[in-house]
Amino acid sequence: MSKPIASLSLDLDNKWSYLRTHGIKNWQDYPSYLDTVAPRILQFCEDRNLQMTCFVVGRDAEQPKNRDALAALSEAGYEIGNHSLNHYPWMHTLPREQVEVEVAEAESLIEDATGQQPVGFRGPGYSFSEDLLAILAARGYSYDASILPTYIGPLARWYFRRTASPEAAERADRRELFGSFREGWRSMRPKPCTTPSGPLIEIPVTTCPLVKLPIHMTYLLHLWQFSPRLTKLYLQMALSACRWLGVGPSILLHPLDFLGCEDDPELRFFPGMSVPRAAKLNLLSDMMERLSSRFQIVTMRQHAEYVRTRLGIPAHKRPTRVPAAEPLVAAVSQ
């Protein structure tokens, strides 16, 4: 390759998941903006000749109203990954049996909706556990992308409590949503993970080298509201540091990066949702221009295969068909 690689992914979190996490009751109707945001994502990437990985939530794949949007992303050649069944940001607190349901049931629904059997997983809210890795390896996954190596988990939780319901705020503290300070000690570099069921590649979401602050759009948009110029300078510095230190960045996007304040006032509580869509797309375009000038942009699956080949790790053969786990009778606390 003429340039080092960088992977691009999008967590296809839907409106209902944000409402539920914040304790807003009408989430149970599963309101969706996928039919609005999917065409914008497709057009944005087509204009820039980009491919990426979309991590899909199983409940969205289950809903007939989302099928056209998800099928369009798959037919455009995007890799489709698994983002769990119910998008519980507290998935790391669930018993192993329930974690397996979250992976397996979502996998089946996503394959039915998109025609792709996922080989990559990202935990909602960067939720991660050793049980998760073992389950993924046993089901033949190639990689996990759940880790966000940053020190600001407690700060993100404090910001969340300002806009969430009292019950949701208490739940966030009890379940350590968004991680703890110790997550900042994790490496940003992709690495192999050994499990009893075989090897798995871990690709963290990239943060700014040394300072370990996020560089994904949600964080950048929050900075942009204070200083657009400083935001672009910070992004340039972070990507240059990745290049100098030999870190192939894995850049994360969300659907709200393509939605402005004029699109959905109900989501004003979310960081960056007070910003007009045109300003968001301007910053996103600047990010992609800077990224593509320094790196060759690939999907997460391609990134994992590159790491596996470079480290001489044999491919983990996927079973012909892994049965889905039996759903648990007991409901998980909302």
Side-chain angles (χ1 to χ4, degrees):
M1 295 182 181
S2 58
K3 300 176 185 176
I5 68 167
S7 52
L8 184 63
S9 62
L10 183 143
D11 288 358
L12 206 61
D13 308 340
N14 209 344
K15 180 175 179 176
W16 62 267
S17 65
Y18 293 132
L19 297 179
R20 185 194 60 201
T21 302
H22 277 75
I24 300 172
K25 299 301 182 184
N26 66 338
W27 74 266
Q28 293 167 326
D29 296 329
Y30 288 94
S32 174
Y33 46 52
L34 297 190
D35 59 342
T36 297
V37 79
R40 295 180 186 178
I41 294 168
L42 288 165
Q43 189 63 59
F44 182 90
C45 291
E46 182 182 348
D47 291 345
R48 292 158 183 82
N49 195 28
L50 296 173
Q51 286 285 303
M52 64 180 175
T53 300
C54 291
F55 289 98
V56 173
V57 178
R59 290 299 179 205
D60 285 319
E62 185 179 42
Q63 299 283 327
K65 62 185 176 184
N66 297 320
R67 287 298 185 95
D68 288 346
L70 297 180
L73 294 170
S74 181
E75 289 165 6
Y78 297 0
E79 179 199 358
I80 303 297
N82 187 339
H83 200 33
S84 82
L85 176 63
N86 288 298
H87 199 274
Y88 293 138
W90 53 86
M91 203 172 89
H92 57 285
T93 68
L94 301 179
R96 181 185 175 115
E97 294 79 9
Q98 185 65 41
V99 174
E100 187 162 9
V101 169
E102 286 291 312
V103 173
E105 290 295 307
E107 180 184 311
S108 178
L109 291 167
I110 290 166
E111 184 179 9
D112 185 56
T114 68
Q116 293 191 42
Q117 187 179 13
V119 299
F121 183 90
R122 177 172 288 138
Y126 319 110
S127 187
F128 170 86
S129 67
E130 295 300 323
D131 279 346
L132 172 63
L133 288 183
I135 290 165
L136 294 176
R139 298 192 66 81
Y141 278 68
S142 174
Y143 68 90
D144 175 70
S146 301
I147 290 176
L148 179 69
T150 183
Y151 300 107
I152 70 166
L155 180 61
R157 206 156 45 247
W158 170 83
Y159 185 91
F160 171 85
R161 290 199 306 268
R162 295 172 59 202
T163 56
S165 71
E167 296 82 4
E170 185 276 332
R171 182 171 58 220
D173 284 334
R174 177 162 41 89
R175 292 168 168 169
E176 242 183 19
L177 259 63
F178 316 123
S180 64
F181 180 83
R182 64 181 175 270
E183 302 302 323
W185 295 104
R186 294 186 182 274
S187 172
M188 293 194 307
R189 297 181 184 274
K191 65 176 184 178
C193 298
T194 302
T195 78
S197 301
L200 191 74
I201 302 297
E202 179 64 50
I203 305 179
V205 177
T206 302
T207 53
C208 183
L210 304 180
V211 296
K212 297 288 187 71
L213 294 175
I215 56 175
H216 56 267
M217 278 289 293
T218 303
Y219 185 79
L220 294 178
L221 284 165
H222 185 67
L223 290 182
W224 186 94
Q225 295 173 85
F226 298 98
S227 173
R229 183 178 179 182
L230 181 61
T231 301
K232 292 187 177 184
L233 182 62
Y234 168 69
L235 176 60
Q236 178 180 339
M237 179 194 71
L239 294 179
S240 296
C242 287
R243 182 70 186 262
W244 294 335
L245 295 173
V247 176
S250 183
I251 301 298
L252 168 63
L253 305 177
H254 288 93
L256 297 188
D257 302 339
F258 299 86
L259 294 172
C261 56
E262 66 271 36
D263 288 310
D264 198 332
E266 193 175 5
L267 290 171
R268 282 290 186 105
F269 60 81
F270 199 88
M273 277 306 287
S274 60
V275 179
R277 183 170 71 250
K280 286 189 171 187
L281 294 178
N282 175 271
L283 178 58
L284 186 56
S285 295
D286 184 76
M287 172 190 267
M288 291 302 108
E289 183 177 342
R290 294 177 189 275
L291 188 66
S292 60
S293 70
R294 294 169 173 81
F295 301 94
Q296 180 173 339
I297 302 175
V298 300
T299 65
M300 296 291 297
R301 182 174 189 168
Q302 290 170 319
H303 197 160
E305 290 172 353
Y306 171 79
V307 172
R308 190 184 296 276
T309 300
R310 183 170 58 85
L311 297 179
I313 301 170
H316 184 42
K317 288 188 66 177
R318 187 163 204 163
T320 303
R321 183 66 186 177
V322 183
E326 288 294 325
L328 299 186
V329 175
V332 177
S333 171
Q334 306 298 335

